Amino acid sequence: VRQRRSCAFTSSSEQKRRTCERAAALSDNAMAESTVWNNVKPYINGGSSGMMATCCIQPLDMVKVRIQLGMTGSPFGIASHVVKTEGVGALYRGLSAGLLRQATYTTARLGLFEQFMQTLRNKSPNGEVSIQGKAAAGLAAGGLGALVGSPADLSLIRMQADGTLPMEQRRNYKNAGDALLRIMKEEGVGGLFAGAGPTVVRAMSLNMGMLASNEQAKDMLKQAGFQGAPVTFGASAIAGFFASFFSLPFDFVKTQMQKQQPLPDGTLPFKNSVDCAMQTLTKHGPMRFYAGFPTYYVRIAPHAMITLIALDALKEAQKKFGL
């Protein structure tokens, strides 16, 4: 009888030990999955919110590019001309490249910005980040994100500019994938990064204006007693203005660099982005860099607002469902 009791006790203890081990293993797996999700979540949220915004803003982006390439008239007049001569679908030309750009560039820039900000908060004694720290995080995230998204951005610009070229000079890319493959085939892998310098600089200026001002505006609005939707909408509107103001000159140079074609002697019109900026300044004056500012603002500000509002909405939804 004593032996049977001892065996039963041993069996019970062993069962408990195994149960504890299984529970510990499940806990470890849950923690590992939680850590992975928390690391990738900022990138998924960033890319998703950027793609939502792009679907809404693509026609305005098309009009902005046409203005920068020399088309004259009001934004509505240019849009009407594009529809009449090229069809309604022309307003969405390059959408596949635009979505690919958001899936690379915005995924990287918003994900990196969130991680940079979290690192700065952890290092701060009071958990707050200075305006200089926010600006530095925006600059770094924008530059790195633009480098990742440069090939998609090049495809987008070329597809949007194609309709302004003579028939014999048009590239006639079918979609973003076709554009990337043909660029690699015709210009080499390095061709995918044509104009990457101005693209990176432009992205640094845009994200410094957009992300840093959004974070700063949120802090100031909360300190003023605002909460919820007014903070989200107000901060995103402020961010849209500063993103436009800081980035348009660089966006203009980037567009000129990416759409240039070889001259009859085989040379390019601009040696580099600095040469492009100097030629533009000499021939047209400083205000040329702000050509199409109203359209650019109408395109950038809503895109920034929709992106940031969608980003906050995704975060709130994830909190609600415990993700």
Side-chain angles (χ1 to χ4, degrees):
V1 173
R2 287 179 181 176
Q3 188 175 6
R4 282 200 300 270
R5 286 179 180 175
S6 176
C7 290
F9 179 77
T10 304
S11 176
S12 176
S13 298
E14 180 67 19
Q15 199 170 23
K16 287 181 180 179
R17 184 182 67 79
R18 290 177 180 175
T19 301
C20 290
E21 287 178 351
R22 282 197 295 269
L26 290 172
S27 177
D28 290 341
N29 289 337
M31 289 179 63
E33 289 176 2
S34 176
T35 301
V36 171
W37 169 242
N38 287 333
N39 286 332
V40 301
K41 182 165 62 173
Y43 297 91
I44 293 173
N45 289 348
S48 300
S49 59
M51 293 173 80
M52 292 178 200
T54 292
C55 290
C56 300
I57 305 301
Q58 184 69 14
L60 291 174
D61 192 49
M62 166 65 82
V63 173
K64 181 266 297 182
V65 169
R66 292 297 177 90
I67 290 174
Q68 290 183 330
L69 296 179
M71 188 174 286
T72 57
S74 68
F76 290 106
I78 291 174
S80 177
H81 176 76
V82 170
V83 171
K84 287 179 181 179
T85 57
E86 304 175 47
V88 177
L91 292 175
Y92 281 90
R93 182 176 295 139
L95 179 61
S96 60
L99 293 175
L100 177 62
R101 180 175 181 266
Q102 295 303 314
T104 52
Y105 165 58
T106 299
T107 295
R109 66 172 174 138
L110 294 185
L112 287 169
F113 181 76
E114 183 67 27
Q115 291 200 329
F116 291 158
M117 286 293 292
Q118 190 58 50
T119 300
L120 291 172
R121 290 189 192 100
N122 292 339
K123 290 185 177 181
S124 174
N126 57 4
E128 296 181 357
V129 181
S130 66
I131 183 64
Q132 296 91 337
K134 294 169 185 172
L139 284 168
L144 293 170
L147 197 59
V148 173
S150 186
D153 189 60
L154 175 65
S155 302
L156 174 63
I157 292 295
R158 289 191 175 181
M159 290 175 74
Q160 289 179 327
D162 220 30
T164 66
L165 300 173
M167 292 297 295
E168 65 276 8
Q169 294 183 15
R170 293 184 183 181
R171 298 179 174 93
N172 296 315
Y173 296 136
K174 297 176 183 177
N175 49 51
D178 179 54
L180 294 173
L181 290 173
R182 283 182 52 189
I183 290 170
M184 284 192 292
K185 182 179 179 180
E186 296 168 8
E187 305 172 38
V189 176
L192 293 172
F193 293 91
T199 298
V200 168
V201 173
R202 180 254 190 189
M204 292 173 71
S205 63
L206 186 148
N207 284 283
M208 181 190 70
M210 172 182 165
L211 301 178
S213 64
N214 181 62
E215 289 292 325
Q216 187 68 18
K218 279 183 177 179
D219 291 344
M220 295 175 70
L221 288 169
K222 288 177 182 178
Q223 289 173 6
F226 294 96
Q227 295 293 331
V231 172
T232 300
F233 282 92
S236 63
I238 293 169
F241 173 79
F242 281 105
S244 305
F245 179 79
F246 282 115
S247 65
L248 181 54
F250 300 102
D251 184 80
F252 179 88
V253 171
K254 174 186 75 73
T255 300
Q256 298 299 314
M257 289 292 294
Q258 289 181 327
K259 71 97 180 180
Q260 68 176 334
Q261 290 199 347
L263 299 171
D265 62 0
T267 62
L268 292 172
F270 309 116
K271 298 176 182 177
N272 49 51
S273 56
V274 175
D275 180 52
C276 176
M278 293 306 297
Q279 285 195 41
T280 301
L281 183 64
T282 302
K283 295 177 181 178
H284 305 286
M287 294 309 296
R288 177 63 174 169
F289 294 108
Y290 283 91
F293 180 78
T295 305
Y296 186 74
Y297 174 77
V298 170
R299 184 265 175 191
I300 290 293
H303 193 284
M305 290 182 67
I306 294 171
T307 299
L308 294 171
I309 291 169
L311 183 61
D312 283 351
L314 285 171
K315 290 179 180 179
E316 288 299 319
Q318 288 164 353
K319 287 180 182 178
K320 182 178 179 180
F321 291 101
L323 297 175

